[in-house]
Amino acid sequence: MTTDTTDETIRYTADVVLLAAGHVLLIERGWAPYKGCWALPGGHVDGGETSLAAAARELEEEAGIAVPGADLRQVGAFDAPGRDPRGRYVSVAYTATLPTPVPPTAGDDATAARWWPLSALPDLAFDHADILAAAAR
C-alpha cells in the first residue's frame, strides 16, 4: 500500500438539511465555486466554534431562519477527496424538520433562498445530493 505524504490543508465546514412538509431549503450560491447553483445552507466553521454552532449560524446567515442547535441532528461527516474543487473540505452535516416552511431571506453569500419540493429538486452543488439522501434515510 502506498501512502501519500504530501501535506494537505483540510478545511472544516458544516451544512444543514432543513426539511418541512415535503420540501428542503436550498440557497443559490453567490460565489464560486458553483456560483448560481443551488446548495444546502452551510459554510466554514470559525475558530473556537463547533460544527453544530456553525451549522445553526450559517443557516441563519444564509437563509434568515433560526433553528437552535439543540434541534439539529447530526447526519454524518462528508470527506471524500474531490468533493470541493477548492481543495480538501470535510463537512459535518445536520438536519432538522420544521412543521411548515418558514419564509427564507437570502443573506451572506446566498443570492436566493427557497423551499424546493423533494420530488422536484434542481441539480445540487458539491456532494449535497448525497448529504440530502443521507439525511432522508
Side-chain angles (χ1 to χ4, degrees), residues 1-5:
M1 183 166 102
T2 310
T3 304
D4 184 5
T5 58

Side-chain angles (χ1 to χ4, degrees), residues 11-14 42-46 49 54 57-58 86 89:
R11 292 162 189 89
Y12 188 29
T13 61
H44 291 93
V45 176
D46 291 339
E49 185 177 45
R57 175 183 54 76
E58 288 286 347
R86 297 170 291 187
Y89 278 75

Side-chain angles (χ1 to χ4, degrees), residues 32-135:
Y34 297 105
K35 181 178 180 178
C37 293
W38 292 94
L40 298 169
H44 291 93
V45 176
D46 291 339
E49 185 177 45
T50 65
S51 61
L52 178 61
R57 175 183 54 76
E58 288 286 347
L59 177 61
E60 189 163 9
E61 287 177 1
E62 293 187 344
I65 298 175
V67 174
D71 292 346
L72 294 170
R73 180 179 53 82
Q74 191 176 117
V75 174
F78 296 81
D79 64 354
R83 66 180 295 270
D84 191 309
R86 297 170 291 187
R88 188 68 184 264
Y89 278 75
V90 175
S91 186
V92 178
Y94 294 86
T95 190
T97 302
L98 302 178
T100 58
V102 174
T105 303
D108 197 22
D109 62 348
T111 58
R114 67 173 271 209
W115 293 95
W116 285 82
L118 289 169
S119 61
L121 294 173
D123 288 335
L124 299 180
F126 307 103
D127 60 350
H128 289 185
D130 295 336
I131 295 172
L132 180 56

